Amino acid sequence: MVTPDVVVDLTVLERNIATMARSTRERGLSLRPHAKTHKMPQIARRQIAAGAVGLTVATIGEAEVFAEHGATDLFIAYPLWVDQQAATRLLALAERARLTVGADSVDGARQLARALGASASRIAVRVELDSGHHRSGACATEAVDIARAATEAGLAVTGLFTFPGHSYGPDAASSAVADEQETLRRAADSLREAGYADLELSGGSTPSASLATGATLTELRPGVYVFGDAQQWELGHCAPEDIALTVHSTVVSRRPGTAGQADRLVLDAGSKVLGSDRAAWATGYGRLPDHPEARVVALSEHHATVEWSGARMPPLGTRLRVVPNHVCLTVNLVDEVQVVRDGVVEDRWPVAARGRNS
Amino acid sequence: MVTPDVVVDLTVLERNIATMARSTRERGLSLRPHAKTHKMPQIARRQIAAGAVGLTVATIGEAEVFAEHGATDLFIAYPLWVDQQAATRLLALAERARLTVGADSVDGARQLARALGASASRIAVRVELDSGHHRSGACATEAVDIARAATEAGLAVTGLFTFPGHSYGPDAASSAVADEQETLRRAADSLREAGYADLELSGGSTPSASLATGATLTELRPGVYVFGDAQQWELGHCAPEDIALTVHSTVVSRRPGTAGQADRLVLDAGSKVLGSDRAAWATGYGRLPDHPEARVVALSEHHATVEWSGARMPPLGTRLRVVPNHVCLTVNLVDEVQVVRDGVVEDRWPVAARGRNS
């Protein structure tokens, strides 16, 4: 086996898909998984078959790939700035799928309508809200102005959405869910007063997904849950045995510790396959599921430096599995993944939407 | 123009290639640029035409791509663990190019020779040394044992190499160069005592490349110098006008500052095009060359959050250029780059060795 190689365990993947589908259904919530995590039609099809109402994507390019592979309901959860070229692509997409895009400003909504021209009503819009992550998204109090501008410009306003990204932190999920619900509720109330009805209220991230209820929200958009990753593991949102994607690597260098220093080894999985996201609270640049006491203390493009405590350091040539910190980056770095079930290779799946940043 | 898009300025690129070629030549050093930075045969050809003796690569896969495109002298600067499948690929490469690989252990050298079998002598080996970066690489005192094991196993030992990666820090380059020279000198002395002659002594990184001399070293392997990036800019190793690669992006969201908070805007270039490397000393997740006072304070997959101080915040839809922190990651995230000269688009180049991690 050539390393590094990205390996997906189909049994775990399908279990994760089923668990989230059941959990959202039991709470009366629609599930619209974020497909940027996996970028693979084979996984999207499984999510839809398990009951997802459609897919969330981040870019027009991702939407195009999933539409080509049969997706019929796509939400680009991003405040697109739409020029003529982008408008042409959106209208082509709307031929194949029910299409919704995000807007977080009056100017953005008007620009979208202007670029779409007479076809503006064919694209639905959800207003993006900032619920505390402070990235994109309008304040709850601005939502009604954006919705009105969109409606006046000829767009169909069908809902509100937010990404509670501040759920990514130790013990942060429950307060982020409270923020998410409160922000959506306030903005939804103001839109209802202005005459909007049947609003889709969409939230959710993998850390917050298990806590949200249908009291305010109608839909969740978690992405990472299909695979899990070291961030979710370290935040307590999945167990190591629930992680469906690992990077298989080889020990290429080792240095026994001397004078109180830990043993160190180098794996051939670096930032060009693991990605280099590392939150302040993370214990390293990824985790070894079969050696949870080990720490990835440094990462360069083709080297992961591992501090090895406890048991005897493995010899050169040993194969070790690594869980990336942030799995969305790993998938986007490879052209295909190896698919195994019960340890047997079943297939290789191309990462069809890899690199579709625009 | 669709954003984000990676744009290479050919005038600046060619000037960077010429400057490094002249600078190493004047110091009596060979130049073997690290092609992992650019992964593009169009750039490799320019480096060779300017006098580079060959290319450095990180993986067998990269070597294969450059050999297919005409490279005739390739050094895989990595302590490969070579199984039968890798040996077959190395021997196929050796049909087309002079091929050298790294080894940093007796076991690794013996494994390489075992896998190559009767053809071991067709692959040259350089022993990797740790000069203070503490990643892979043997101690200077171990070099002679590794060289002897390689020789006894039938491999041709032609030199030593090290990567002074600890040159990546404020005011760190000159002491890293001293470490590099001292480590190579000590190991070379021990090999010469053991009867090895005509050793290639290879060092270098972009931060250290301008300081190394031919007193000890024979060769340098900088990579990033062709493009430059925000790390080199912030460390003082290049000026903003020497940066040949930028990511063109669009302002998609903005939030005027209130009550002492800075204005913030969001660009559509995130970690899936910029990469998320951020050294402790970096001022952000990339820099805006046309707005050096701005700071990229947060990065997610498709959002760069910029704190905008000073002049008036640009409107939605404005195109802004971003310099990534670590350019090697950016190139590896896209299938092709746009090539411009004097502001005019000349070509698009495929990133031929993108994703070749193994």
Side-chain angles (χ1 to χ4, degrees), chain B residues 227-229 232-240 242-243:
Chain B
F227 296 133
D229 58 19
Q232 304 298 334
W233 175 7
E234 295 201 335
L235 289 174
H237 301 301
C238 73
D242 297 328
I243 295 174

Side-chain angles (χ1 to χ4, degrees), chain A residues 1-4 36-37 39 58-59 62 77-81 83 85 89 104-105 107-108 128 130 133-139 250-255 264 266-269 271-273 275-278 299-305 316-319 326 328-329 332-335 354-358, chain B residues 1-4 36-37 39 58-59 62 77-81 83 85 89 104-105 107-108 128 130 133-139 250-255 264 266-269 271-273 275-278 299-305 316-319 326 328-329 332-335 354-358:
Chain A
M1 182 183 160
V2 171
T3 60
K36 73 178 166 67
T37 298
K39 291 175 173 274
T59 67
E62 286 182 345
Y78 196 83
L80 296 175
W81 181 260
D83 62 10
Q85 191 177 351
R89 294 168 68 195
D104 79 347
S105 65
D107 287 351
E128 182 178 7
D130 175 14
H133 185 40
H134 305 322
R135 194 174 65 177
S136 51
C139 305
T250 300
V251 178
V252 294
S253 184
R254 56 204 296 278
R255 179 191 306 264
R264 284 187 166 211
V266 174
L267 304 175
D268 62 359
S271 59
K272 277 179 171 168
V273 67
S276 38
D277 269 15
R278 180 181 174 172
L299 201 66
S300 41
E301 287 158 67
H302 299 279
H303 305 71
T305 304
L316 288 171
T318 303
R319 298 294 158 88
H326 184 188
C328 305
L329 300 186
N332 188 50
L333 284 161
V334 295
D335 291 323
R354 197 207 63 72
R356 296 298 295 262
N357 284 321
S358 56
Chain B
M1 184 182 159
V2 171
T3 60
K36 73 178 166 65
T37 299
K39 292 177 172 274
T59 67
E62 286 182 345
Y78 196 83
L80 297 174
W81 182 262
D83 62 10
Q85 191 178 351
R89 294 169 69 196
D104 79 346
S105 65
D107 287 351
E128 182 179 8
D130 175 14
H133 184 40
H134 306 321
R135 195 174 65 179
S136 51
C139 305
T250 300
V251 179
V252 294
S253 184
R254 57 205 294 280
R255 179 190 307 262
R264 284 188 166 209
V266 174
L267 304 175
D268 62 0
S271 59
K272 276 179 172 169
V273 66
S276 39
D277 270 14
R278 181 181 175 173
L299 201 66
S300 42
E301 286 157 69
H302 299 279
H303 306 69
T305 304
L316 288 171
T318 303
R319 299 294 159 85
H326 185 187
C328 305
L329 300 186
N332 188 50
L333 285 160
V334 295
D335 291 324
R354 197 208 64 71
R356 297 299 295 262
N357 284 323
S358 57

Side-chain angles (χ1 to χ4, degrees), chain A residues 82 84 87 106-121 125 149-155:
Chain A
V82 174
Q84 209 49 59
V106 166
D107 287 351
R110 288 184 178 147
Q111 169 71 17
L112 171 64
R114 196 178 307 126
L116 293 170
S119 306
S121 65
V125 169
T151 302
E152 282 163 19
L155 297 159

Side-chain angles (χ1 to χ4, degrees), chain A residues 41-354:
Chain A
Q42 292 87 344
I43 296 180
R45 278 198 289 273
R46 284 168 166 79
Q47 292 174 314
I48 298 291
V53 295
L55 298 178
T56 305
V57 295
T59 67
I60 300 177
E62 286 182 345
E64 288 168 340
V65 170
F66 286 104
E68 282 161 25
H69 286 85
T72 57
D73 191 329
L74 290 160
F75 171 37
I76 306 175
Y78 196 83
L80 296 175
W81 181 260
V82 174
D83 62 10
Q84 209 49 59
Q85 191 177 351
T88 304
R89 294 168 68 195
L90 290 176
L91 290 172
L93 272 166
E95 296 284 334
R96 322 173 71 140
R98 175 170 176 261
L99 186 64
T100 308
V101 306
D104 79 347
S105 65
V106 166
D107 287 351
R110 288 184 178 147
Q111 169 71 17
L112 171 64
R114 196 178 307 126
L116 293 170
S119 306
S121 65
R122 298 187 45 214
I123 312 287
V125 169
R126 293 180 180 179
V127 177
E128 182 178 7
L129 302 171
D130 175 14
S131 54
H133 185 40
H134 305 322
R135 194 174 65 177
S136 51
C139 305
T141 52
E142 300 167 327
V144 72
D145 291 337
I146 299 166
R148 280 190 177 126
T151 302
E152 282 163 19
L155 297 159
V157 176
T158 58
L160 302 167
F161 76 106
T162 190
F163 173 64
H166 55 315
S167 62
Y168 275 78
D171 304 318
S174 62
S175 65
V177 169
D179 292 343
E180 172 185 48
Q181 304 210 145
E182 175 63 8
T183 304
L184 284 168
R185 190 193 56 72
R186 284 178 56 208
D189 284 350
S190 70
L191 260 70
R192 288 182 189 122
E193 276 177 37
Y196 290 90
D198 298 327
L199 293 168
E200 292 170 294
L201 304 179
S202 178
S205 63
T206 294
S208 62
S210 65
L211 300 170
T213 72
T216 301
L217 278 71
T218 65
E219 177 187 283
L220 290 178
R221 307 186 316 280
V224 171
Y225 77 95
V226 286
F227 296 132
D229 59 19
Q231 289 186 156
Q232 304 298 335
W233 176 8
E234 296 201 334
L235 289 174
H237 301 300
C238 73
E241 58 271 23
D242 297 328
I243 294 174
L245 183 147
T246 53
V247 178
H248 290 211
S249 69
T250 300
V251 178
V252 294
S253 184
R254 56 204 296 278
R255 179 191 306 264
T258 51
Q261 291 184 307
D263 292 344
R264 284 187 166 211
L265 51 83
V266 174
L267 304 175
D268 62 359
S271 59
K272 277 179 171 168
V273 67
L274 294 173
S276 38
D277 269 15
R278 180 181 174 172
W281 44 262
T283 68
Y285 293 91
R287 291 290 293 271
L288 279 60
D290 306 310
H291 303 278
E293 73 295 347
R295 288 292 176 271
V296 183
V297 294
L299 201 66
S300 41
E301 287 158 67
H302 299 279
H303 305 71
T305 304
V306 177
E307 261 186 22
W308 193 265
S309 47
R312 210 163 52 89
M313 190 163 49
L316 288 171
T318 303
R319 298 294 158 88
L320 293 176
R321 302 193 304 153
V322 186
V323 177
N325 272 348
H326 184 188
V327 71
C328 305
L329 300 186
T330 295
V331 172
N332 188 50
L333 284 161
V334 295
D335 291 323
E336 53 179 29
V337 300
Q338 188 180 140
V339 182
V340 303
R341 192 190 294 275
D342 301 329
V344 179
V345 180
E346 281 213 349
D347 208 347
R348 290 189 79 89
W349 289 344
V351 184
R354 197 207 63 72

Side-chain angles (χ1 to χ4, degrees), chain B:
Chain B
M1 184 182 159
V2 171
T3 60
D5 200 15
V6 175
V7 180
V8 173
D9 185 313
L10 206 43
T11 307
V12 180
L13 176 85
E14 291 178 347
R15 189 173 71 220
N16 292 345
I17 289 172
T19 301
M20 183 63 80
R22 187 185 328 113
S23 156
T24 49
R25 195 165 50 236
E26 284 171 359
R27 285 175 282 159
L29 288 160
S30 299
L31 177 63
R32 185 185 289 276
H34 210 312
K36 73 178 166 65
T37 299
H38 56 73
K39 292 177 172 274
M40 287 181 257
Q42 292 88 342
I43 297 180
R45 278 198 288 274
R46 284 169 166 79
Q47 292 174 315
I48 298 291
V53 297
L55 298 177
T56 305
V57 294
T59 67
I60 299 176
E62 286 182 345
E64 287 168 340
V65 170
F66 286 104
E68 282 162 23
H69 286 86
T72 57
D73 192 328
L74 290 160
F75 171 37
I76 306 175
Y78 196 83
L80 297 174
W81 182 262
V82 174
D83 62 10
Q84 209 49 58
Q85 191 178 351
T88 303
R89 294 169 69 196
L90 290 176
L91 290 171
L93 272 167
E95 296 283 334
R96 324 172 70 140
R98 175 170 176 261
L99 185 64
T100 308
V101 307
D104 79 346
S105 65
V106 167
D107 287 351
R110 286 184 180 147
Q111 170 71 16
L112 171 64
R114 195 179 308 126
L116 292 170
S119 306
S121 65
R122 299 190 40 217
I123 311 285
V125 168
R126 293 180 180 179
V127 177
E128 182 179 8
L129 302 170
D130 175 14
S131 53
H133 184 40
H134 306 321
R135 195 174 65 179
S136 51
C139 305
T141 51
E142 300 167 329
V144 71
D145 289 338
I146 300 166
R148 279 190 178 126
T151 302
E152 282 162 18
L155 298 159
V157 176
T158 58
L160 304 166
F161 76 106
T162 189
F163 173 64
H166 55 316
S167 62
Y168 275 77
D171 304 316
S174 63
S175 65
V177 169
D179 292 344
E180 172 186 49
Q181 304 209 145
E182 175 63 8
T183 304
L184 284 168
R185 190 193 56 70
R186 285 178 55 208
D189 284 351
S190 70
L191 260 70
R192 288 182 189 121
E193 275 177 37
Y196 290 90
D198 298 326
L199 293 169
E200 292 171 292
L201 304 179
S202 179
S205 63
T206 295
S208 62
S210 64
L211 300 170
T213 72
T216 300
L217 279 71
T218 64
E219 178 187 282
L220 290 178
R221 306 186 318 280
V224 171
Y225 77 95
V226 286
F227 296 133
D229 58 19
Q231 288 187 156
Q232 304 298 334
W233 175 7
E234 295 201 335
L235 289 174
H237 301 301
C238 73
E241 59 270 24
D242 297 328
I243 295 174
L245 184 147
T246 53
V247 178
H248 290 211
S249 69
T250 300
V251 179
V252 294
S253 184
R254 57 205 294 280
R255 179 190 307 262
T258 53
Q261 290 185 307
D263 292 343
R264 284 188 166 209
L265 51 84
V266 174
L267 304 175
D268 62 0
S271 59
K272 276 179 172 169
V273 66
L274 296 172
S276 39
D277 270 14
R278 181 181 175 173
W281 44 262
T283 68
Y285 292 92
R287 290 291 293 272
L288 279 60
D290 306 309
H291 303 278
E293 74 293 347
R295 289 292 176 271
V296 184
V297 295
L299 201 66
S300 42
E301 286 157 69
H302 299 279
H303 306 69
T305 304
V306 177
E307 261 186 21
W308 193 264
S309 46
R312 209 162 53 90
M313 190 162 51
L316 288 171
T318 303
R319 299 294 159 85
L320 292 176
R321 304 192 303 152
V322 186
V323 176
N325 272 348
H326 185 187
V327 71
C328 305
L329 300 186
T330 295
V331 172
N332 188 50
L333 285 160
V334 295
D335 291 324
E336 53 179 28
V337 300
Q338 187 181 140
V339 182
V340 302
R341 191 189 294 276
D342 301 328
V344 179
V345 179
E346 282 212 350
D347 209 346
R348 291 189 78 91
W349 289 345
V351 183
R354 197 208 64 71
R356 297 299 295 262
N357 284 323
S358 57

